[in-house]
Structure formats: C-alpha cells, structure tokens
Amino acid sequence: MWLASEAIRRLGPGPVSMISTLGPVLTLLLGAWLLDEPLTLAQLAGCGLVIGGVVMMSRRPRPAATAAGEGG
C-alpha cells in the first residue's frame, strides 16, 4: 500500500491509474508463462483492449488551456 501511495505522490493519480489497469494483463501473462495456464482467444482479445485503451488514453491531446500557456 505504501508503494501505491508513493507512486501517486510522485507521478500523480492519472498515470498511476493507467498503469494499474495493466495488472490483470500482467497476471494473465505471468500465469501462462510460469504456471502453464491456458490462454483463450477471449483473454488475449481482452488484453489487447486493455493495452489499446491505455495507449489511447496516454496519447490523448492536452486541453486547449494548457497548450495556450506553453507558447509564452
């Protein structure tokens, strides 16, 4: 719990929440690798959707007010 609080303090809640959504994907992949758990097509599709969502949210454009303040 302390590590999560420290991550929020250092990075902010937005990036930490995006990274935390990758937890189930990592769990699936580690289970398949270390425990020889079977991966289904639905699980792989879900992993793709989660990763795609994280990428999409991390690349979204910044609000106009922030962009206007950068120039000067």
Side-chain angles (χ1 to χ4, degrees):
M1 190 65 189
W2 176 79
L3 290 175
S5 297
E6 187 65 19
I8 291 171
R9 186 181 71 80
R10 290 184 184 203
L11 302 174
V16 173
S17 67
M18 279 196 295
I19 292 169
S20 69
T21 61
L22 296 174
V25 173
L26 183 60
T27 301
L28 276 174
L29 297 177
L30 286 174
W33 178 48
L34 297 174
L35 303 174
D36 291 326
E37 293 282 330
L39 281 178
T40 66
L41 185 58
Q43 289 171 326
L44 291 174
C47 288
L49 288 173
V50 169
I51 292 170
V54 169
V55 168
M56 188 181 344
M57 291 304 293
S58 66
R59 294 176 150 234
R60 70 178 181 188
R62 300 286 181 227
T66 304
E70 291 176 5

